[in-house]
Structure formats: structure tokens, C-alpha cells
Amino acid sequence: MLRGDITSALRAAVMQELAEVGYGRLSIERVARRAGVGKTAVYRRWGSKLAMVLDIVSELAVHKMPLPDTGSLHDDLEILLQIVNQVLQHRLAAQVVPDLLAEAARNPQIAETLQAALRANQRNVADLILGRAIERGELSPGIDTDAAVDLIIGPLYWRLAISRTRLPSGYLPRLAAVTTAALRSELMSPPVPKPAAPAPKPAAPVVAPATPADGAPVTA
Amino acid sequence: MLRGDITSALRAAVMQELAEVGYGRLSIERVARRAGVGKTAVYRRWGSKLAMVLDIVSELAVHKMPLPDTGSLHDDLEILLQIVNQVLQHRLAAQVVPDLLAEAARNPQIAETLQAALRANQRNVADLILGRAIERGELSPGIDTDAAVDLIIGPLYWRLAISRTRLPSGYLPRLAAVTTAALRSELMSPPVPKPAAPAPKPAAPVVAPATPADGAPVTA
Amino acid sequence: MLRGDITSALRAAVMQELAEVGYGRLSIERVARRAGVGKTAVYRRWGSKLAMVLDIVSELAVHKMPLPDTGSLHDDLEILLQIVNQVLQHRLAAQVVPDLLAEAARNPQIAETLQAALRANQRNVADLILGRAIERGELSPGIDTDAAVDLIIGPLYWRLAISRTRLPSGYLPRLAAVTTAALRSELMSPPVPKPAAPAPKPAAPVVAPATPADGAPVTA
Amino acid sequence: MLRGDITSALRAAVMQELAEVGYGRLSIERVARRAGVGKTAVYRRWGSKLAMVLDIVSELAVHKMPLPDTGSLHDDLEILLQIVNQVLQHRLAAQVVPDLLAEAARNPQIAETLQAALRANQRNVADLILGRAIERGELSPGIDTDAAVDLIIGPLYWRLAISRTRLPSGYLPRLAAVTTAALRSELMSPPVPKPAAPAPKPAAPVVAPATPADGAPVTA
DNA sequence: ATGTAAGCGAGACGGTACGTCACGTCTTCAC
DNA sequence: GTGAAGACGTGACGTACCGTCTCGCTTACAT
């Protein structure tokens, strides 16, 4: 008969701790202390830090977000970007999301859970917005949907989670417009990756190994 | 008179620890043990974990990466994407970069150092590739260079560091081509954010608050 | 709520460490390791190495030893010498006692504790055995009890703790007999220190300063 | 060609350190610092802390002390006691001697060295004073010389090194007289350890095991 | 109404890491 | 070659948390 108020307090405490110190430094002890609760109360609910975080994060992600369906690719995209913007502006999410994504690179269970959450949640940008656009004939059926998702989400995620600089007014609509145009380009369909001004064979020699003695160059 | 070989061993150990456990869990003791060295050897070089990581990361980032200068925006972009791809494919970088970027959201010193590294290192994608393209007349002088950088880097970073799925053959050239086209679009210059198919004023009301009880929705 | 079994393990470990390396080299870390216990378990019980040793040694010393009371000075002495012999033959005591006594010359707290332990424990050879002998008329009431204690304990302690050579059979009874006779001698009562063959004032000139340049001669 | 002044300074420093912290805590570093000298200066002279201490202590002990030879056992003893008193009153010796003797119980090399020093130095109380007394007929040839040494040295050592209480005036002459009488007693010759008031065989049962659970009783 | 089960906090336990200090060893320079 | 200087690994310091585990206390359901 676990007490619900304690469970809620723990959930909130976990999110705050995740934001403040990240998954790596998150400790059961701090969570319990923050929730004003004994450590046993935590272990009675989840067997480990990982289980605890996975459970809480999964549950949160399930909070359905409204999927846009305006009938036009451009409008769908603009609304989607606004949603993403809104979510990632949230204090907690802005800290927790990149942290968990980074942790996912180390911990397969986290990666899996996040993937599952994304998938269950949206079924997805790709499958819905793009799918509908294809059905409407706005996009070519041959489009590489993975690459399309990169184009749609990538720039905004980079700006919000990495650069973390303010968006100038009009940024989101402009990004929506540019992305829409790019997606419509026939370049997005794999068969003919022929660039406008072809660089015959530029690649390998131009790029030096770039790997220093012992470590890896840190650059993005 | 610090011994160089020990310093190198420590540098390598720090990178490996960063990759394995992340900045949050990185401990001086483990670094020293991994490098086969006493803790004192670490403290003789850096006063704290933060100073150590900042120094090592800065130094690594300084390893100049060759900046493309082919004379055409498209070719520059393609080469740039190849470089980024190459760097982020590296085992260590793939783990360390997102981790440090997430940590940067918490630790201003890390944020600052990473920014400085990026800036010093490239002076930058924006200032060079874009600048030269503008000089050549390939891009409008009024272009929002911040947004342009988001467009260039965002999709590939998302794919390599977040989605972490394999790139299909032809991905990079296609991305370069699409991005080039998008940058050239008159949409990228702020004055006239008039989209092709304008969405009159859809924004705010469409998107619900989306903030659950205590936490934030986890979505990207 | 400290666990008694752990306290016991620590006590034993302290004694063994004291025997092996002495008070000077005794370290909390080794004690804990030897007891198969965390350092915290030690610090939860005693605040410092000194407090720990003092407590343990005090408690051990309190283990009442049976005080002889046979009705005759000689028998009391013989039994006392047997007790002392038995105690100092014990592996641990043989190492720990001289070590702590030497340390006591440096550390007043140790000196005090040892004195207190001795006093509380026996109330003492002087006050009891000698006292009863005086009451019985076996010894003169004017006897210098301090000197008497020196006579009683000194030879055996020297033999067991310093010379550390085996006792020949009959040693203890003989020592008891000789000591008894000496104590009974009228020489032991201060008023008349007149020796049999008095050496009027031989002392000073015969004995050279004997102090070398920088150190002191090591002799006993 | 090691510099003599530095060697002397080191010798003095070693003795002072021995007195202040004892052999266990004595460290090359402190010795060198105290002598105002580099650590290398020490290691060039002695290979280890043990070798250093052994060498210095041996050399000091060799400083011949004048052996009394007055022609009477009592006078010899009184002078001997005065010498011992004088030596053990010396600040350094009072600390160093018991410390090294305690350490000798752990370290065979120290034990051996001290024994050798004593032997070489005196050839000895036993062999000389007692020997001469036997030759003069003052003592029985059958006397247990080891036990005799215990009787001679033990009480004073106990008083000076263990009890460490002031000697009342007349203490040494009285002790010399009592000891002389005791040595002359026919009890000191093994064959007949018959005591005045014989306690047939009281020993074993009277004395309880006295060994507590885990440690050893600390008593002297 | 009482007994039993379970949630709860408190906190002792063995660990790990902290940042510092002292040490014995070894190497590098100045004389 | 003698000396000082100091970097090196080791190990201990006393503290702080951590995850685990064992306690009494209390609450609440079932008898």
C-alpha cells in the first residue's frame, strides 16, 4: 500500500535532481532527502536508480503531446517546431533531455526507453506528418524519411539544446518555411544525389586525419 | 618539471573516463588509477576536476581542423559535413561531446570553455564558409548567420549524436546539397519571412501548455 | 546502536596492530582493514587514534586480576610475581606494554591513562600487599612503599620486558624469597639509610659526565 | 668524501627525533629537515632508516662509561646505580632508551644491536662487578648471575623509565645496600630456593586465566 | 479489539572518493 | 661527486555520501 503522496514527491524530486546534477550524479539519497522521505521509501518502489529514472521518464513522456494536423506540410511543421520549442524551453526539460540523451550513449536501457517513449508518443513526426504529406502528394514517396526527420528536428534542437541562444523573432516560421522547401526538393529522394555544382572527388585528401595523439578532437 | 609522458597518460585517461562515465561521475582517483599514476601527479597539474577537464578539452579542441576553402559553398559544406562526421564517429568524441554539452547546461565554465574552443578553433563556420559565400555573392549579405549555422550543423549532429543510426550511402552529399539550396533561399534573410504557403497566425492557441503535474514532458 | 561484534573485532584488531607496529605507527585505516570493517565504523566509536587506544587499553586493564591475599607477605609476592609473569608472557602484552610505556614518556594522556588503569586495577600492590604486611607486622610501618614497589616489580619486569630471556626453573620462587627478605630488612625504612659498609661520599668524581657531543650514551 | 659537519648534524638530529617521536615515527625527511640538509645527504650515508639508527645508536653506546672498581661489592653497586641514574635522567636517553627497547621486541636487528652495544660496552655488570665480587668471596660462585643482574638493574630502571617519579634523597644508597644484602643472601644460589615461609606449590590454581575475550590484559 | 502485516524514518554498515599531507625513492640540475 | 630541489607512487588522514540492510514505530486491514 505505497503512499501516493510520497510517490509523487519522489517523482518531482527525481526530475529536479536530474535537472540539477544529471543522471550520473543523481543519487537515491539526495532524491529521498529532497522528497523529505526515507531511502527505504525509494527502494520499495524501484529497485535501482536506473529503474526509477526509466519509470518516471517513461511515464512523463507518455503525456501525449498534441500532434498537428492542419492539412499542409508547412503548417504542420511550424506547429511541430513550436511544440518542440515550448518543451525545450521548459527549465527542467532543457536540462534533462540532453543529459539523458548523452547518458543513452552509454546505457542501452536508457537509449531503449527513450526510443520507446518517442515512438509510443508520436508514432511519429516521420510516420504522421511526413506520411500525410506524402499521401497528399506534397512530398515524394521516395523521400528518405530518416533524413527528413534530421532536417526537421536537427536545427531547432541544436539551437535550443546546444547553442542555447535566444531565438530572434520570426525564427520558427522562417525555419518552418525553409525546411518545408528543403523537404519538397527533389534532392531529398535518394536515387539522384547529384549536387548542383559537383565537387568531383573532394573528400578524403582534403580532410586530414584530425585525430591527435591520445584523444579525440572535441568539436561539433 | 612535470613529466610529459605522465601528462599524456593522464590526458588519455581523462578522455577515456569521460567517455565511459561522463563528466558527472568522473573521479580524480579513477583517472589516476587508469593512468597508472598517483593522485598527487594529477593535483600537481590541475587544481580540480573541472580545471583538469577544461584544460584537456581546450587543448584537444585547438588541434586545428582543416577548414575547407574550395571556392564554392556547396563543396565547402560537403567537406565540412565530412569532417564533422569523421569527428563524431570517433568512439571517444561520440560519447564525450554530447556529455560535455549537456554538462555545459549546468556549468557555465564548461559552457564558456566549449564556446571558446569552438570559436577559437574555427573562427567559424559562420565567419568563414558563410562569409566567403557572401563575398562571392552566393549568399545574401542579409542572411541570419546563426540560423544558417543551425541549418548546417543541426541535422548531422542530431543524426550522429542523438539518433545514432547509420548514415545511408549518399547521405552527406545529399545533405550538403539540400542545405546549400536552403541557405541560398531568399527565406533565410530575415526581412521577408514570407513563407510560400503562409500559415496566417496559427501558433500559440494550437499548442497546449503540455506541462504535466510536477515534471516536464520528455520529448524531442 | 553500534554493533557489539564489530566493536569487539575492532578491539582485537587494535591490540594486534599495537603489538605489530606500536602506537606510533598504528593507523586507523589498518585497524579497520584488519577488523574487516569500514573506517566509519571506527570513527563512529572513537574520535581519534588516541581516544581509541586509551579506551581500549583502559577497558582491558579493568579486567580485574585476582589480588593475592594469602596472609603471608612471601606468598602474596610469589603469587603476584606469577601473575605478572603470566601477563607479560602473553604475546600481545609483551609487545604492547613496553610500547605504551615508552609512548607514555611522550604523551601525557597515555601516561595518565596507564597510571589510572594501574591504580584503579590494583589499588595496589603497595596499598594492599604491603599494607596488609604492615598491618600484620611483617613490615615496618616506616617503609618507603614506592621503593618497595620498585624492588618487587622491577627485577621481573626487567627480565621479562627488557632482557626477554627465559626464566630458569625456580626463578619466581627464588625472586619472591629474596624480595621478601629485602623488604623485611630494616634498610628499607628511610630514617637510617646507613649501609653495612658505608661509602661516605664517593659519587660525583668517580662518575664522568659521560655525555658525548650531541647525543646521550645508550645504556641501561 | 662525506662532509663531517653534516654527518654530525644528522647524528644529533636523529637523536632528537628519536626522543621526540620515537623510532616508529622517525622519518628521514624530518631528520634531514632538522639537520638543515637534503634527503640525499642522508641516503648517501645510510641506506635506510634502520641502518641509520643502528649505526648512530651503536656508536653512541660505545662511548665507554667508567666501570666502578672500588674493591667492595656495595660500593661498586652504588656507583653503578649512580651512573645508571645519571644516564637515564638525561633528557634524550630517558626517551630513547625505553623506546628502542620496546622497538627491539619487534625488530630483531634492533634487539641484536642493543644487546651487542650493552655487551661490548660493559662486558658487563655481570662479568665484572659480580665476577670480582665472586673472586673476592663476597658472593657465592654458584650465584645465578642473570637473576643478579635483574635484581641490580630492575628496580632502578623501573623507577626511572616506567614510574618516572622523583627519587627521594637517600634512595640510591639505600637501594645499593638492600641489593647488596640480597645478592649476598644464600637464596640467590639456585640449589636451595627454600623460602623462609614456604608456600609449597600454590601457583597455578590461584592465578585465574586473566585473559579477556579478545585482547590481553594490560598490566605491569 | 486485537493481531499482523507493511510502510515508514532512522541510522549503522562496508565502500569509494574526496583533497591534503608526509614519506622513501629517484632524477635532474648547480656547484 | 656533493648537495638541493622536487616529481614520482604510496598510503594515511578525517569527511562526506552512497546503496544496502536492520531496526522500532506507526498505521491499517483482517480477524
Side-chain angles (χ1 to χ4, degrees):
Chain A
M1 226 21 55
L2 301 174
R3 271 167 55 184
D5 56 336
I6 288 184
T7 304
S8 303
L10 283 173
R11 264 190 233 285
V14 166
M15 287 308 294
Q16 290 167 348
E17 284 294 317
L18 272 183
E20 281 188 18
V21 303
Y23 177 83
R25 286 255 156 131
L26 180 139
S27 84
I28 301 286
E29 185 127 5
R30 289 175 59 87
V31 166
R33 198 160 37 228
R34 174 161 227 149
V37 142
K39 280 185 284 185
T40 38
V42 177
Y43 280 103
R44 222 169 274 119
R45 286 165 175 78
W46 306 283
S48 68
K49 165 173 133 175
L50 178 57
M52 176 178 72
V53 170
L54 291 185
D55 175 50
I56 291 177
V57 161
S58 296
E59 188 143 329
L60 281 180
V62 168
H63 278 280
K64 278 270 179 314
M65 63 173 45
L67 251 198
D69 187 3
T70 61
S72 103
L73 174 59
H74 172 270
D75 291 359
D76 279 3
L77 281 188
E78 182 160 353
I79 294 177
L80 175 66
L81 292 182
Q82 282 171 346
I83 295 174
V84 170
N85 177 46
Q86 205 177 14
V87 168
L88 283 184
Q89 297 276 20
H90 190 288
R91 207 192 101 253
L92 287 178
Q95 303 262 50
V96 172
V97 170
D99 186 86
L100 286 181
L101 287 173
E103 197 65 31
R106 266 180 229 108
N107 192 321
Q109 297 205 56
I110 292 184
E112 206 175 318
T113 302
L114 292 182
Q115 293 289 350
L118 278 189
R119 210 163 298 123
N121 201 9
Q122 312 200 356
R123 203 38 198 269
N124 186 316
V125 177
D127 297 352
L128 289 186
I129 297 185
L130 293 177
R132 288 195 295 248
I134 293 171
E135 286 172 12
R136 281 192 304 265
E138 283 197 78
L139 294 182
S140 148
I143 194 172
D144 176 346
T145 53
D146 284 347
V149 172
D150 301 344
L151 269 185
I152 296 170
I153 298 291
L156 186 55
Y157 180 81
W158 172 269
R159 180 63 166 253
L160 294 174
I162 314 294
S163 295
R164 293 181 186 266
T165 50
R166 260 189 26 80
L167 304 188
S169 81
Y171 181 92
L172 288 184
R174 196 162 71 244
L175 181 55
V178 172
T179 304
T180 305
L183 291 177
R184 282 185 178 139
S185 150
E186 77 281 0
L187 293 168
M188 284 301 293
S189 296
V192 190
K194 170 176 293 182
K201 45 183 87 81
V206 176
V207 180
T211 315
D214 40 13
V218 169
T219 311
Chain B
M1 297 325 108
L2 303 175
R3 268 169 54 185
D5 55 336
I6 288 184
T7 304
S8 303
L10 282 172
R11 264 188 232 286
V14 166
M15 289 306 296
Q16 289 166 350
E17 285 294 316
L18 273 182
E20 282 187 18
V21 303
Y23 178 82
R25 287 256 154 131
L26 181 139
S27 90
I28 302 273
E29 199 128 3
R30 287 176 58 86
V31 167
R33 210 178 306 140
R34 173 161 227 149
V37 142
K39 272 193 297 181
T40 40
V42 178
Y43 283 105
R44 227 171 266 124
R45 287 165 173 77
W46 306 283
S48 68
K49 166 173 131 175
L50 178 57
M52 176 179 72
V53 170
L54 292 185
D55 175 49
I56 291 177
V57 162
S58 297
E59 188 142 329
L60 281 180
V62 166
H63 277 280
K64 278 269 178 312
M65 61 173 46
L67 251 199
D69 186 3
T70 61
S72 103
L73 174 59
H74 171 270
D75 292 358
D76 279 4
L77 282 188
E78 182 160 353
I79 293 177
L80 175 66
L81 293 181
Q82 282 170 347
I83 295 175
V84 171
N85 177 48
Q86 204 177 11
V87 168
L88 284 184
Q89 298 275 19
H90 191 288
R91 207 193 102 253
L92 287 178
Q95 303 260 52
V96 171
V97 169
D99 186 87
L100 286 182
L101 287 173
E103 198 66 31
R106 263 177 232 113
N107 190 322
Q109 297 206 57
I110 292 185
E112 205 175 318
T113 301
L114 292 182
Q115 293 289 350
L118 279 190
R119 210 163 298 123
N121 201 11
Q122 312 201 357
R123 200 42 200 285
N124 181 319
V125 177
D127 295 353
L128 288 186
I129 297 186
L130 294 177
R132 287 195 295 247
I134 293 171
E135 286 173 11
R136 282 191 305 263
E138 283 197 78
L139 295 181
S140 149
I143 195 172
D144 176 345
T145 52
D146 284 347
V149 171
D150 300 344
L151 268 185
I152 296 170
I153 298 289
L156 184 56
Y157 179 80
W158 172 269
R159 180 64 165 252
L160 293 174
I162 314 294
S163 296
R164 292 180 187 268
T165 49
R166 261 189 23 81
L167 304 188
S169 81
Y171 182 92
L172 289 183
R174 197 163 70 244
L175 182 55
V178 172
T179 304
T180 306
L183 291 178
R184 283 186 178 137
S185 150
E186 77 280 0
L187 294 168
M188 284 301 293
S189 297
V192 191
K194 172 176 291 181
K201 46 183 85 82
V206 176
V207 180
T211 316
D214 40 12
V218 169
T219 312
Chain C
M1 293 312 113
L2 302 176
R3 268 169 55 185
D5 57 335
I6 288 183
T7 304
S8 302
L10 282 173
R11 264 188 232 286
V14 167
M15 288 307 295
Q16 290 167 348
E17 285 293 317
L18 273 182
E20 282 187 18
V21 302
Y23 177 82
R25 288 253 153 132
L26 181 138
S27 89
I28 301 273
E29 198 128 3
R30 285 177 58 87
V31 166
R33 211 179 306 141
R34 173 161 227 150
V37 142
K39 272 193 295 180
T40 40
V42 178
Y43 283 106
R44 226 171 267 124
R45 286 165 174 78
W46 306 284
S48 68
K49 165 174 132 175
L50 179 57
M52 177 178 72
V53 169
L54 292 186
D55 175 51
I56 290 177
V57 162
S58 298
E59 188 142 329
L60 281 180
V62 167
H63 277 280
K64 278 269 178 315
M65 61 175 46
L67 252 198
D69 187 4
T70 62
S72 103
L73 174 59
H74 171 271
D75 292 358
D76 279 3
L77 282 188
E78 183 161 353
I79 294 179
L80 174 66
L81 292 182
Q82 283 171 347
I83 294 175
V84 170
N85 177 48
Q86 203 177 14
V87 168
L88 284 184
Q89 296 275 20
H90 191 289
R91 206 193 103 252
L92 287 178
Q95 303 261 49
V96 172
V97 170
D99 185 88
L100 287 181
L101 287 173
E103 197 65 32
R106 265 177 230 112
N107 191 323
Q109 297 206 57
I110 292 185
E112 207 176 316
T113 301
L114 292 181
Q115 293 290 349
L118 278 189
R119 210 163 298 124
N121 201 10
Q122 312 199 356
R123 201 41 199 278
N124 183 315
V125 177
D127 296 352
L128 289 185
I129 296 184
L130 293 177
R132 289 194 294 247
I134 293 171
E135 287 172 13
R136 281 192 304 262
E138 283 197 80
L139 294 181
S140 150
I143 194 172
D144 176 346
T145 53
D146 284 347
V149 172
D150 301 344
L151 269 184
I152 295 170
I153 297 290
L156 185 55
Y157 179 81
W158 172 268
R159 180 62 165 256
L160 293 174
I162 314 294
S163 295
R164 293 181 187 267
T165 49
R166 260 191 22 84
L167 304 188
S169 82
Y171 181 92
L172 289 183
R174 197 164 70 243
L175 181 55
V178 172
T179 304
T180 306
L183 290 178
R184 282 183 179 143
S185 151
E186 76 282 1
L187 293 169
M188 283 303 293
S189 296
V192 191
K194 172 177 290 180
K201 45 181 87 76
V206 175
V207 180
T211 316
D214 40 13
V218 170
T219 312
Chain D
M1 219 34 44
L2 302 174
R3 270 167 53 186
D5 56 335
I6 288 185
T7 303
S8 302
L10 282 172
R11 262 188 234 286
V14 167
M15 287 308 295
Q16 289 167 348
E17 285 295 315
L18 272 182
E20 281 187 19
V21 303
Y23 178 82
R25 287 254 156 128
L26 180 139
S27 84
I28 301 285
E29 187 125 4
R30 287 175 60 86
V31 166
R33 197 158 40 225
R34 174 160 228 150
V37 143
K39 279 186 286 185
T40 35
V42 178
Y43 281 102
R44 241 185 285 281
R45 287 166 174 77
W46 305 284
S48 68
K49 164 173 133 176
L50 179 57
M52 176 179 72
V53 170
L54 292 185
D55 175 49
I56 291 177
V57 162
S58 298
E59 188 142 330
L60 281 180
V62 167
H63 278 279
K64 278 268 177 317
M65 63 175 45
L67 252 196
D69 186 3
T70 62
S72 104
L73 174 60
H74 171 272
D75 292 359
D76 279 2
L77 282 188
E78 183 161 353
I79 294 177
L80 174 66
L81 293 181
Q82 282 170 348
I83 295 175
V84 170
N85 177 47
Q86 204 176 15
V87 167
L88 283 184
Q89 298 275 20
H90 191 288
R91 208 193 100 252
L92 286 178
Q95 302 262 47
V96 172
V97 170
D99 185 87
L100 286 181
L101 286 173
E103 197 66 31
R106 264 178 231 112
N107 192 321
Q109 298 205 56
I110 291 185
E112 205 174 319
T113 302
L114 292 182
Q115 293 289 351
L118 277 189
R119 212 163 296 123
N121 201 9
Q122 312 198 354
R123 201 41 199 279
N124 183 316
V125 177
D127 297 352
L128 290 185
I129 296 184
L130 293 177
R132 289 194 295 247
I134 294 171
E135 286 172 13
R136 282 192 304 265
E138 283 196 80
L139 295 181
S140 149
I143 194 171
D144 176 346
T145 53
D146 284 346
V149 171
D150 301 343
L151 267 185
I152 296 170
I153 298 288
L156 185 56
Y157 179 81
W158 172 268
R159 180 64 166 254
L160 293 174
I162 315 295
S163 294
R164 293 179 187 268
T165 49
R166 261 190 20 83
L167 304 187
S169 80
Y171 181 92
L172 290 183
R174 196 163 71 243
L175 181 56
V178 172
T179 303
T180 305
L183 291 178
R184 283 182 177 141
S185 150
E186 79 281 1
L187 294 169
M188 284 302 294
S189 296
V192 191
K194 171 175 293 180
K201 45 182 85 75
V206 176
V207 180
T211 317
D214 40 12
V218 170
T219 312

